[in-house]
Amino acid sequence: MRGTSLQARLFISYVILVGIVIGVIAIGIVLSLTSSPILYRTITQRLRLASDVVALQLEDQPLVTLDSVYSYLYTVSAQTQLRVGLLTREEVILFDSGISLYPAFPDLDVPEERLSGYDLPVHTFRDEKGGVWFYTTKLLKGGYLVIVMATQRPEQVLRTIFREELGVTTVIAGFIAIVLALIFSFAMANWISKPLERLVAGAQSVASGKHNPLPLKGPREVRMLSQAFNDMSSRVFASQQSQKDFVTNVSHELKTPITSIQGYAQAILDGTVLGEESIEQAATIIFNEANRMHGMVMDLLTLAKLETGIADMQMSLLDLRVLLDHLLERFTVLAHQNQIELVSNYSNLAPVMGDGEQILRVFTNLLENALKYTPAGGRISVSALQSGNWIVVQFSDTGPGIPVEDRERIFERFYQVDASRRGGLSHGVGLGLAIAREIVLSHGGMIRVESELGKGSIFSVELPVCSEVSTVNG
């Protein structure tokens, strides 16, 4: 079957299976019919009835001579198509109607007492030619003579049963069953193979750069495989798109400072910029743009280390209340200058295991963003509480909020809700939240955002309580 399709293999397998099942059923029917109790009962009744009739004739109307007895037994044998024998109690054969055609009787089971026809046991023996015989033995009055009634098992019984009992109806039913089984086999093979063929086509389309989700059809295992393939292909294309966006964003973010650096450097070299003050201004711009590029490169390196798990974390027990106090001290003056109310709500918190500098970087980024987007007269709240084995720190603001379509992407590299802000000197390049997410994930925590347009946003950072502390508290 090498080289054949899966559908053809499944179909052939089902056909073979159906053939085996039908063959086993046919053999079972044959065996059950050949050993049919109906056949056994029919032979038993014939033998018992013939034994009773012969015994009654010989006992109630005794014949005068042995020749007349033998003649009567021949007549009975011819009329009943049975083999008739007359034996002594010691199993000496006096008469056998089939002696000229068959081997002599072997050792027979002679009854010890007289039995009625209904009680006569039916025994079997096998002759020298391998033929199977059914027989009964009946003890006559006086207890000296025994009547034997025997019949050979019919050789054509199977053909007769099929002809008379089964007939054409069974053949037609079997043919219909085979046709239906073949149709079912084809449907089953198609049901299993088609989704797999679509899976192969989908894999080929992914290799060629196309993404076509597969329909979830077929057996449960095939549907699960198709779903896993859809998830995998979606992630592959998302990764590819992320790489494309990364290259585009890096190129975009580097283009402006490089252009400025090249322009002012060229102006200094050409002598276009004259005077000490102008040269100093050009050098300052070059220095600022270089610093900005350096900061972006360093952020990219930090993000790469966090994503690959090779960032050097200085882990220790942290008191988040101390970190939050330090954070608020740094930004209280800036919030006051921007006419923004900055409030806090937290008390003693269970310690967490983490890198204090990195966790502070996350909090700083979230508070800076809140200050950046909250208008004058707004309010920013920093709160923290313990929920089970987690410490939840929230930064809520009364800014413009984040659109629904942006919330799922806000933690991506270079992604900014307001694209018009890109490239400005006073604005970031969209790496802060991506770095914050990786830092939180590396600490076994979670970061999420809730927002409503016109009402503000809430960024939540959840960090696990130190396991030793949680065990003691538990």
Side-chain angles (χ1 to χ4, degrees), residues 239-293:
S239 177
Q240 292 177 346
Q241 186 62 41
S242 177
Q243 292 177 359
K244 294 178 181 178
D245 293 342
F246 175 76
V247 173
T248 301
N249 291 327
V250 169
S251 301
H252 178 81
E253 296 296 340
L254 292 178
K255 181 179 179 180
T256 300
I258 289 177
T259 301
S260 298
I261 291 173
Q262 286 179 332
Y264 281 100
Q266 186 66 41
I268 293 174
L269 292 175
D270 294 343
T272 305
V273 178
L274 300 176
E276 184 177 343
E277 183 178 352
S278 297
I279 293 175
E280 182 179 354
Q281 181 181 5
T284 301
I285 293 176
I286 293 174
F287 180 78
N288 290 336
E289 292 292 353
N291 276 341
R292 183 164 172 265
M293 291 173 58

Side-chain angles (χ1 to χ4, degrees), residues 85-88 91-96 99 104-106:
L86 182 63
L87 285 67
T88 65
E91 297 189 27
V92 176
I93 300 176
L94 303 177
F95 174 81
D96 183 1
I99 191 63
F105 285 121

Side-chain angles (χ1 to χ4, degrees), residues 108-120:
L108 303 177
D109 291 326
V110 178
E112 297 293 335
E113 57 182 342
R114 278 178 54 82
L115 298 172
S116 64
Y118 180 78
D119 296 327
L120 285 179

